[in-house]
Amino acid sequence: MLKIDNLHCQLEEEPDTKILKGVSLEVPAGEVHAIMGPNGSGKSTLSYVLSGRDGYEVTGGSASIDGEDLLDMDPEERAAAGLFLAFQYPVEIPGVGNMIFLRTAMNAQRKARGEEEISAPDFLKLVRAKAKELNISPEMMKRPVNVGFSGGEKKRNEILQMALLEPKMCILDETDSGLDVDAMKLVAGGVNAMRDAGRGFLVITHYQRLLDHIKPDVVHIMSAGRIIETGGPDLALKVENEGYADLIGAA
Amino acid sequence: MDTVNTMTPWREAFDAFIANDEAAVMGATARADAFARFEAHGLPTRRHEYWKYTPVRDLLPGQEILVRDGLDTFADVETYQIVFVDGRIDISRSDRTALAALVEIAGPDGAPWMDGVFNALQNRPIPGAMFQVERPFANLNLAMFTDGLAIRIPDGMTLDKPIHLRYEGVVPSHLRLEMLVGKGASVTVLESGAGALTTGAEIVLEEGASVDHLRSQTEVAGKQFTALYATVGADASLKSFTLCADAALIRNETMVTMAGDNGSGSIAAGVMGMDDTLIDNTVYVSHEAEHCESRQVIKSVLDGKAKSVFQGKIFVKKGAQKTDGYQISQAVLLSDGAEFNAKPELEIYADDVICSHGSTTGALDEEAKFYLRSRGCTEREAEALLVAAFIDEAILEISDETLQDRMRDTTDRWMSARAGR
Ligand SMILES: Nc1ncnc2c1ncn2[C@@H]1O[C@H](COP(=O)(O)OP(=O)(O)OP(=O)(O)O)[C@@H](O)[C@H]1O
Ligand SMILES: [Mg+2]
């Protein structure tokens, strides 16, 4: 599904700042992979480079989704190809209503894939149902995108978008941070409901807690722009108990 | 030399108009005075202080009327429509009779109260700095208007539908609105169409009156010059909103006098420009009474080599205490070649006032744009969503939600036309 090979990147404005220094990993369809790693190790940068944010220059390596070269596409083409990033810091967009945003995005993706647009009633029904599952009030849906949302509400809104857009490859960047215990369960429930043989997940997190709810198949440890260790779910437990020092020392 | 040359065709046109046009009988003295002022001023050049960004080089009386798409922003709105074609009312398409049954409309000879409006606005001593600024196209309009509407809304009346002044045709005409809105009366006035080279409007709001004025210039492809003089009485409220798009040259001048205590005035505009367009909104709000509030909200979205100009002044006369004056002008530039020029001015002679102004120019928020695109919106769609949000801050100055939506439809259409390129 998602294949990243020896990916290197630096900041466009400061070429001396190398952030990714050879990231390789592969998430096959049907699997959930977690990435853990110290602050500043490049986890969010990886997610941005994959989703096509400006400001980073890829200097080597490749990334593809179902064999299609991601790095060659515009952000919206990546979305239409099935990539989704739940942002660590979702952006507030004053003046742009949540509903019109969601509908524009859904229909744009459908159009890009040569599918029919969703009708207004079907769209409303779908949004209402999914929002309810995530305990997002209709009043929140009427507001501009993320404006005035609490930290946890923003994260739930990301998961709502994911549920509506039904991407093939979902990257979740610290979706658990800022969530209370109940919200965490809601979000994990939302993710688990979407797990299926055709879909991959890359879950970036600092805490074992989320992984108790979303059981990963594989755990990667990232440090200083590289994956330094890959293992099973118990690797996350080890990090939780012992920290990163030994792993980084060994690498 | 220069002035003589460019003025010659105008002098000839004016003389011919006076000699041949039956409309010239009305206000003959005022017309001659106004033309003399226009002639003395000449066509505005960069050397004129308030035309620095908007020179009008080669305007001729026969200036061609160019129409874009012909989609009337107010087509679906139920109104008392008054249609002008080539500078004359088209009675068969106008609801003049229905309107005349409700309000007073002056005939070709005017009406006694109409002189009052004329005199109040044209010949009164204008205080402070206001008189220093010549308004050449207001003068030209007064000198050469061929038709228009002179109307009095009786005290206390709320007109059930908006009055819609619709300008059509290909003759570069000059049309005029004279309106007296009686005590506690309220009315909405709409203007649309490209078929007027100049419009001139004078609106007097008596105590407690309320006027919503909306203008769509989205069909103007050539040139249009407008002048709106409004006098806002005590407890009265004026809201004026203009939507402009893609004209070769539009200059809107809005002069508002807050004449009675506790009045409020809002002048807002949304400007959308692609290609080689130049749109200028020049606003002058003069506070001459206490406890008045005024707002100027101008939003421009500019692509290609489009230019938008905003010159906005808040003048507070001595004694106009507790004035609350606000002004904001913002532009989003969608291309490197686009340009926004703002000239905000405050001139304050009272000590107990709050006045603020701000102006910003920049690109769309990149973070927001990326967020939208990461969800699948195309770059143009993302821009359209952000532009709509940006312009909406001006549209929200309109009080009626249906009319807000008509404006949104028009801005959406503009953005989709852009997206389709
Ligand atoms: N646009 C940028 N400008 C300057 N530095 C940047 C930029 N983007 C990333 N960096 C730097 O690159 C490094 C990696 O940042 P990144 O956000 O990817 O870390 P992270 O692993 O997600 O950290 P955290 O766990 O704190 O979220 C950091 O040192 C960061 O300061
Ligand atoms: Mg991060």
Side-chain angles (χ1 to χ4, degrees):
Chain A
M1 166 78 46
L2 178 68
K3 192 164 188 296
I4 305 166
D5 188 29
N6 199 25
L7 193 61
H8 286 70
C9 87
Q10 62 198 27
L11 290 179
E12 229 163 47
E13 302 277 301
E14 311 163 29
D16 289 343
T17 311
K18 321 274 182 206
I19 305 178
L20 301 182
K21 300 170 187 163
V23 175
S24 298
L25 65 83
E26 194 172 342
V27 183
E31 291 193 5
V32 174
H33 288 211
I35 299 188
M36 304 179 83
N39 293 131
S41 56
K43 304 180 299 295
S44 293
T45 302
L46 175 64
S47 72
Y48 289 145
V49 170
L50 291 175
S51 49
R53 181 175 164 150
D54 279 344
Y56 305 98
E57 191 188 339
V58 174
T59 51
S62 65
S64 62
I65 183 165
D66 282 340
E68 280 186 87
D69 182 6
L70 270 177
L71 304 178
D72 219 27
M73 300 182 202
D74 284 334
E76 58 268 33
E77 292 172 330
R78 301 179 197 213
L83 187 76
F84 180 90
L85 168 62
F87 285 76
Q88 180 172 4
Y89 304 109
V91 185
E92 297 192 8
I93 313 184
V96 177
N98 234 329
M99 295 298 270
I100 175 118
F101 155 59
L102 288 173
R103 209 170 145 206
T104 309
M106 268 183 96
N107 282 332
Q109 289 203 19
R110 286 175 177 230
K111 217 164 112 190
R113 291 194 292 257
E115 299 165 13
E116 257 195 56
E117 296 199 348
I118 187 167
S119 75
D122 286 353
F123 169 75
L124 271 179
K125 234 162 81 185
L126 188 66
V127 173
R128 279 205 198 109
K130 300 277 183 196
K132 201 166 168 215
E133 282 171 25
L134 288 160
N135 204 8
I136 294 174
S137 68
E139 187 272 321
M140 259 171 75
M141 295 308 297
K142 282 190 200 136
R143 278 193 251 163
V145 180
N146 292 325
V147 175
F149 287 25
S150 74
E153 288 170 342
K154 283 180 187 161
K155 296 303 178 75
R156 270 185 280 153
N157 198 28
E158 294 290 289
I159 299 305
L160 172 66
Q161 291 169 32
M162 184 172 87
L164 289 169
L165 295 169
E166 301 185 312
K168 286 195 291 201
M169 182 64 222
C170 312
I171 305 175
L172 278 63
D173 190 358
E174 293 196 29
T175 302
D176 51 336
S177 65
L179 289 184
D180 64 41
V181 185
D182 296 329
M184 170 99 79
K185 281 187 190 148
L186 278 175
V187 162
V191 171
N192 287 329
M194 287 180 72
R195 285 179 80 156
D196 72 36
R199 187 170 281 131
F201 287 89
L202 190 59
V203 180
I204 299 170
T205 183
H206 285 294
Y207 305 107
Q208 168 62 31
R209 211 169 44 144
L210 179 70
L211 303 179
D212 286 340
H213 297 290
I214 307 173
K215 299 258 182 321
D217 299 292
V218 177
V219 175
H220 306 275
I221 307 298
M222 188 160 180
S223 168
R226 281 192 196 89
I227 303 293
I228 56 163
E229 180 89 22
T230 294
D234 44 334
L235 186 55
L237 283 169
K238 188 173 158 197
V239 166
E240 179 92 348
N241 294 326
E242 300 169 17
Y244 293 111
D246 283 358
L247 286 166
I248 293 171
Chain B
M1 267 312 274
D2 208 7
T3 311
V4 174
N5 285 339
T6 55
M7 280 297 109
T8 311
W10 285 103
R11 166 52 74 179
E12 286 165 8
F14 180 68
D15 287 345
F17 169 74
I18 294 295
N20 306 323
D21 201 306
E22 58 193 27
V25 187
M26 194 199 311
T29 322
R31 287 177 187 276
D33 285 355
F35 190 80
R37 289 201 297 273
F38 173 68
E39 199 172 32
H41 186 277
L43 289 178
T45 68
R46 285 188 195 281
R47 287 187 304 264
H48 293 104
E49 188 185 356
Y50 286 96
W51 295 87
K52 196 173 137 201
Y53 305 111
T54 318
V56 184
R57 275 180 219 93
D58 43 13
L59 191 74
L60 292 168
Q63 172 73 39
E64 210 182 345
I65 293 293
L66 300 172
V67 187
R68 178 187 320 288
D69 82 11
L71 278 173
D72 181 1
T73 301
F74 306 120
D76 298 342
V77 184
E78 271 243 34
T79 62
Y80 296 105
Q81 185 165 262
I82 307 288
V83 183
F84 299 96
V85 180
D86 293 337
R88 316 281 164 176
I89 188 166
D90 179 343
I91 284 288
S92 65
R93 289 171 59 209
S94 298
D95 304 313
R96 196 178 187 282
T97 314
L99 194 57
L102 297 166
V103 303
E104 273 183 59
I105 299 184
D109 301 330
W113 53 267
M114 197 183 137
D115 276 351
V117 176
F118 245 63
N119 291 329
L121 289 149
Q122 283 301 322
N123 302 323
R124 74 191 157 143
I126 299 168
M130 196 146 174
F131 206 58
Q132 294 160 16
V133 182
E134 272 289 352
R135 311 278 174 189
F137 293 100
N139 287 328
L140 176 63
N141 178 272
L142 180 57
M144 294 186 67
F145 73 92
T146 50
D147 208 340
L149 185 67
I151 185 169
R152 187 168 86 95
I153 314 293
D155 292 356
M157 169 183 280
T158 297
L159 202 61
D160 59 338
K161 289 188 284 190
I163 297 170
H164 179 190
L165 304 177
R166 174 82 192 144
Y167 310 127
E168 297 181 356
V170 293
V171 173
S173 53
H174 309 276
L175 293 163
R176 202 156 179 89
L177 169 70
E178 302 285 339
M179 188 158 83
L180 182 66
V181 186
K183 291 192 177 72
S186 96
V187 62
T188 298
V189 178
L190 314 176
E191 289 182 89
S192 70
L197 180 60
T198 74
T199 66
E202 300 180 304
I203 303 178
V204 175
L205 291 82
E206 293 191 333
E207 190 180 334
S210 140
V211 171
D212 288 285
H213 169 246
L214 286 88
R215 174 163 50 197
S216 172
Q217 294 173 311
T218 53
E219 294 162 74
V220 179
K223 297 181 181 173
Q224 193 167 72
F225 303 86
T226 76
L228 164 63
Y229 289 88
T231 303
V232 181
D235 298 308
S237 153
L238 168 77
K239 286 187 163 213
S240 174
F241 176 90
T242 300
L243 190 65
C244 324
D246 296 332
L249 174 58
I250 285 177
R251 162 83 164 205
N252 296 317
E253 297 182 59
T254 308
M255 282 67 63
V256 179
T257 305
M258 306 305 299
D261 294 348
N262 297 306
S264 72
S266 155
I267 312 302
V271 175
M272 302 174 292
M274 291 191 255
D275 304 332
D276 235 339
T277 66
L278 174 53
I279 293 165
D280 175 328
N281 285 284
T282 292
V283 180
Y284 188 113
V285 177
S286 180
H287 282 268
E288 301 175 7
E290 293 188 10
H291 291 278
C292 289
E293 185 199 5
S294 74
R295 297 166 61 77
Q296 300 173 36
V297 180
I298 311 294
K299 297 269 185 169
S300 303
V301 179
L302 306 169
D303 201 354
K305 286 198 283 179
K307 289 194 181 72
S308 170
V309 179
F310 171 62
Q311 309 183 99
K313 182 158 184 168
I314 305 173
F315 175 83
V316 182
K317 197 182 167 185
K318 190 159 180 271
Q321 302 295 21
K322 306 285 180 191
T323 287
D324 183 351
Y326 173 78
Q327 181 194 96
I328 182 86
S329 67
Q330 295 180 304
V332 163
L333 307 184
L334 298 171
S335 72
D336 292 340
E339 197 178 305
F340 178 58
N341 290 299
K343 178 177 175 164
E345 289 179 284
L346 296 179
E347 197 176 331
I348 300 173
Y349 299 102
D351 47 21
D352 189 9
V353 303
I354 307 169
C355 282
S356 65
H357 66 86
S359 183
T360 63
T361 306
L364 286 174
D365 181 354
E366 282 298 325
E367 290 264 333
K369 206 166 121 183
F370 172 64
Y371 187 84
L372 297 170
R373 292 178 75 190
S374 78
R375 297 304 184 239
C377 302
T378 64
E379 186 169 15
R380 288 292 164 112
E381 283 170 342
E383 286 172 354
L385 285 171
L386 295 173
V387 162
F390 173 79
I391 292 262
D392 221 47
E393 289 169 32
I395 292 179
L396 285 168
E397 293 289 311
I398 301 168
S399 30
D400 184 285
E401 286 183 17
T402 317
L403 293 173
Q404 285 180 4
D405 284 342
R406 294 290 79 75
M407 291 298 180
R408 288 187 187 111
D409 292 346
T410 303
T411 54
D412 287 352
R413 215 163 52 224
W414 186 83
M415 281 309 287
S416 8
R418 177 175 176 269
R421 288 190 158 199

